[in-house]
Amino acid sequence: MVCLNEFCIYQKDNNCLLDTVELDINGRCEECIYADIPPQILEYEKEKLRNKYKEEIGRQ
């Protein structure tokens, strides 16, 4: 089963590791559990990506 939610603990290599899931009325997976990423790590990684894209745009 394809899953593109990289923050869910059951997602690996764009696939769901569970055999079955239930969807809510909006089509969202009810079994989804989000990885607990500390805010300082998340912000650090976001800043790295912003800088990377800024450099790439500057080269064009």
Side-chain angles (χ1 to χ4, degrees):
M1 180 172 15
V2 174
C3 176
L4 301 178
N5 186 349
E6 294 188 2
F7 293 104
C8 180
I9 66 168
Y10 296 118
Q11 189 266 18
K12 183 175 181 180
D13 300 327
N14 293 332
N15 290 294
C16 181
L17 298 175
L18 300 174
D19 292 329
T20 61
V21 297
E22 291 188 32
L23 303 179
D24 66 14
I25 195 164
N26 295 313
R28 292 181 295 221
C29 175
E30 291 192 342
E31 281 72 29
C32 178
I33 298 174
Y34 288 94
D36 186 19
I37 301 171
Q40 60 273 28
I41 292 174
L42 181 59
E43 189 54 42
Y44 173 77
E45 293 299 325
K46 287 167 51 176
E47 181 68 23
K48 278 188 356 186
L49 284 172
R50 286 191 294 264
N51 290 335
K52 176 184 173 183
Y53 290 121
K54 191 186 299 184
E55 288 175 13
E56 288 179 9
I57 290 172
R59 285 188 238 157
Q60 295 177 356

